[in-house]
Amino acid sequence: LFTRGFMHASVTTFLPTFIKLETGNIWLAGFGLTAFEAIGVAGVLSSGTLSDHFGRRQILVISLLCSPISLFLFIYTSGLLRCLMLLLTGFTLLSTTPVMLAIVQENAKNSPSTANGIFMMVSFISRSAIVVIVGMIADHIGLSATYCISAAIGFISIPFIIMLPENKMIP
């Protein structure tokens, strides 16, 4: 949650500001966030089913490899490719939450409601703190560099995901 939180918080909170600073167009900034979140909904809706068939760990690894790479490419490209990288970032980054929640539910057989509540609490608290940290970093070094740092931090999650036990695939 923590390492993914840097990418999630920096993009969802500061994307309109980033696009406005880059283009000067407030409408494009609003559209960018809308497109990011809309494709993220598609990622959320598909990731649970995909993780049921291919495994939770595999989907998390794919998502958390693609998210930072596409965020880096979003920063360093332009035009249509930049738009596509924003959409790929939204699809892969936002798709991780239902998979993580499924892992929590599967490992809390005796008290799934409590586990869900703890997961959501940790998620909200860590993300709230991370938004403040990301904002302070962005004030000092700019949003582009902050996005790159957030993407780099996102890669830190991969070893932790690989350490998760394999789940059984549904036939």
Side-chain angles (χ1 to χ4, degrees):
L1 283 174
F2 187 75
T3 57
R4 178 197 72 115
F6 275 89
M7 288 186 294
H8 193 260
S10 64
V11 177
T12 57
T13 305
F14 299 106
L15 183 64
T17 304
F18 176 78
I19 294 173
K20 172 75 166 77
L21 290 172
E22 291 277 312
T23 66
N25 188 332
I26 192 72
W27 289 100
L28 187 59
F31 180 76
L33 181 60
T34 301
F36 174 84
E37 294 284 353
I39 198 73
V41 169
V44 165
L45 292 173
S46 62
S47 65
T49 303
L50 290 171
S51 73
D52 287 343
H53 293 289
F54 299 110
R56 312 253 185 261
R57 189 170 72 165
Q58 287 81 355
I59 297 302
L60 282 177
V61 167
I62 290 167
S63 293
L64 291 170
L65 275 174
C66 290
S67 298
I69 292 169
S70 60
L71 183 55
F72 276 125
L73 291 171
F74 170 71
I75 297 301
Y76 291 112
T77 58
S78 61
L80 183 58
L81 184 57
R82 179 176 249 186
C83 294
L84 292 173
M85 289 303 103
L86 178 62
L87 296 176
L88 182 59
T89 302
F91 186 88
T92 57
L93 181 59
L94 299 181
S95 69
T96 58
T97 302
V99 180
M100 288 189 282
L101 187 54
I103 291 170
V104 168
Q105 294 291 305
E106 289 170 350
N107 290 288
K109 297 192 188 311
N110 295 333
S111 48
S113 298
T114 302
N116 180 49
I118 291 169
F119 172 82
M120 296 306 288
M121 178 190 70
V122 170
S123 179
F124 291 135
I125 290 172
S126 64
R127 186 160 177 255
S128 298
I130 291 168
V131 166
V132 174
I133 293 166
V134 167
M136 290 181 346
I137 294 169
D139 285 343
H140 285 79
I141 64 172
L143 277 172
S144 291
T146 302
Y147 276 11
C148 289
I149 290 169
S150 296
I153 290 171
F155 284 119
I156 296 170
S157 65
I158 302 301
F160 294 101
I161 293 166
I162 292 171
M163 287 189 278
L164 290 172
E166 272 295 324
N167 63 317
K168 296 179 183 174
M169 291 174 47
I170 296 174

